[in-house]
Amino acid sequence: MGTHRSTLGTLLHHVHVSGPLTRAALAERMGVNRSTVLALTAELAAAGLVREEHPAATTGAGRPSLLVRPQSERVCVLAFDVAVDRLVAARVGLGGPVLDRRETVRPRAGVDLDTVVGNLAALGRELIEAMPPGTTCVGVGASYCGMVRPGDGMVRYGPELGWVDQAFGAELEQALGLGLRVAVGNEAHLGARAEFERGAGVGSPDLIYLHGDVGVGGGILVGGKPLGGESGYAAEVGHMLVNPVDGRPCLCGSAGCLEAETGEYALLAAAGRGDGPIGRDAVRAVVRDAAAGDPRAAAAVAEIGDWLGIGVANLINLFNPGVVIFGGMLRDVYTGAAPQVAARIAQHAMPVSRERARLRLSGLADDATLIGAADLGFAGLLADPLPVAQAG
């Protein structure tokens, strides 16, 4: 790809991630002069990707600098988020706003590729039909709660519902019928990137994102780059062994894994609610009751927090992150178990490794993985804006 085309993509990426920026700010970020920014902006504006406008309020003398703003209402992607018990579809505009969304329940019913694809395709078509005139959909991205093969959207392993080598990306692409490739990623990997660019990890290129669904997933960035491993399946922190002596059985076939000791089933069982309701609301109820003084719920949250803290201490020793972010169900768990997590880190993580590590709740809340999926959909546009925009 030519240098000019990649520079166009760089400018578009800046306004996509950071929102409206002045020409001066763009020139500084990109290390180019303002006349170059002016020319690049003109090309992107002619393609309908950005617009320039005066700031809403100005102070001081002199001519105010124009803002370069992404055309969020006119350029969008479809983003899908497949969790264990819910399916989310959204239309996300350039720049990251969720413009429209649909959500439905996903029953925990075993291998359900056809059902998931059918439901997502129906929701996606609804979103496309509801788009205002003049809107262009330039890509499709999907987040899945399992191990995803990079490149073709094959779900190699989804232990909760038994998915093994399911051609999720290809099937969804065919069912949508939009002529757009469906890019698929692991939910925690996508959440890590989204938090770095827009959430609790902004400014922290070395971060760990822990995502609780029913189990625990992990996404690790090193120098702002995702840690993928040999085949793209790295950062399966939920299957880090933390309790080898008398650990709970894990769906992966082992026992004592981090997710077996800290996931939904472990919390509900410890609270004496293993035979009751399941799901995110049940987890929140335990955390809420613990805060209200229910002794068994409080003991359960403390126990789960203890194991979570051991896992985080191991990760801090291994990766020396600037920030550890708790997302999904773990946002709720960490809210109730922060003292136990902190105590274990103080006990087990090396002082020089932990001294700058901050513990934070996800800044994007339950949309971290969805926004990560949207950015997968925008990847082609940001890499080479003009051909993608013209094709759309």
Side-chain angles (χ1 to χ4, degrees):
M1 185 188 304
T3 301
H4 178 68
R5 291 160 69 183
S6 65
T7 306
L8 281 169
T10 299
L11 191 153
L12 188 60
H13 181 269
H14 280 300
V15 297
H16 172 62
V17 170
S18 301
L21 294 168
T22 64
R23 292 177 188 168
L26 285 165
E28 182 178 354
R29 288 187 179 205
M30 297 174 64
V32 299
N33 59 45
R34 293 194 193 187
S35 62
T36 298
V37 169
L38 175 61
L40 294 171
T41 301
E43 285 192 70
L44 293 172
L49 297 172
V50 302
R51 68 178 186 272
E52 290 189 291
E53 60 184 33
H54 291 287
T58 59
T59 59
R63 189 175 181 180
S65 181
L66 290 174
L67 291 172
V68 181
R69 179 184 296 274
Q71 287 277 33
S72 301
E73 300 294 330
R74 294 182 55 185
V75 182
C76 69
V77 298
L78 290 185
F80 299 103
D81 188 15
V82 181
V84 169
D85 50 14
R86 70 169 187 159
L87 303 174
V88 183
R91 184 167 61 87
V92 179
L94 186 65
V98 177
L99 303 172
D100 195 2
R101 69 190 297 152
R102 304 284 190 276
E103 186 168 335
T104 189
V105 172
R106 179 191 185 191
R108 301 186 190 186
V111 181
D112 55 351
L113 175 66
D114 291 344
T115 302
V116 167
V117 167
N119 286 339
L120 290 181
L123 297 178
R125 285 191 293 270
E126 283 184 28
L127 291 168
I128 292 292
E129 290 168 4
M131 288 195 318
T135 304
T136 301
C137 180
V138 297
V140 184
S143 163
Y144 189 84
C145 53
M147 301 174 75
V148 178
R149 184 164 66 196
D152 64 359
M154 174 75 74
V155 176
R156 296 301 311 278
Y157 186 47
E160 174 64 29
L161 298 178
W163 281 34
V164 177
D165 291 337
Q166 300 289 303
F168 172 56
E171 293 287 339
L172 181 55
E173 179 178 330
Q174 182 176 7
L176 280 170
L178 299 176
L180 295 170
R181 174 179 170 270
V182 177
V184 185
N186 167 270
E187 61 179 0
H189 293 192
L190 297 179
R193 188 70 194 176
E195 290 290 337
F196 172 54
E197 294 195 327
R198 305 173 185 278
V202 170
S204 299
D206 295 278
L207 69 78
I208 296 173
Y209 173 74
L210 299 176
H211 186 83
D213 189 355
V214 171
V216 175
I220 298 173
L221 298 187
V222 178
K225 304 295 184 183
L227 183 66
E230 172 68 19
S231 304
Y233 309 126
E236 280 294 319
V237 301
H239 299 288
M240 174 172 54
L241 184 62
V242 294
N243 185 12
V245 178
D246 56 355
R248 297 175 184 273
C250 183
L251 290 171
C252 75
S254 184
C257 295
L258 180 64
E259 78 168 43
E261 303 296 343
T262 63
E264 174 190 313
Y265 298 131
L267 178 65
L268 296 178
R273 306 181 187 188
D275 295 327
I278 57 176
R280 188 75 177 272
D281 288 342
V283 169
R284 286 174 171 154
V286 173
V287 175
R288 184 175 61 248
D289 292 348
D294 181 317
R296 189 157 188 186
V301 171
E303 177 187 335
I304 298 309
D306 217 29
W307 291 118
L308 182 59
I310 290 173
V312 173
N314 280 324
L315 292 170
I316 288 173
N317 284 338
L318 281 169
F319 296 104
N320 184 213
V323 60
V324 179
I325 301 169
F326 299 92
M329 179 197 74
L330 288 181
R331 292 181 79 247
D332 304 299
V333 172
Y334 179 71
T335 298
Q340 288 77 25
V341 174
R344 282 296 189 178
I345 290 172
Q347 182 181 1
H348 298 298
M350 293 183 294
V352 294
S353 298
R354 72 171 189 259
E355 61 187 0
R356 298 187 63 183
R358 292 150 294 159
L359 308 183
R360 292 179 175 171
L361 297 178
S362 164
L364 299 173
D366 288 339
D367 278 348
T369 52
L370 183 71
I371 296 302
D375 280 339
L376 268 188
F378 279 119
L381 177 73
L382 298 178
D384 197 5
L386 299 185
V388 175
Q390 291 160 0

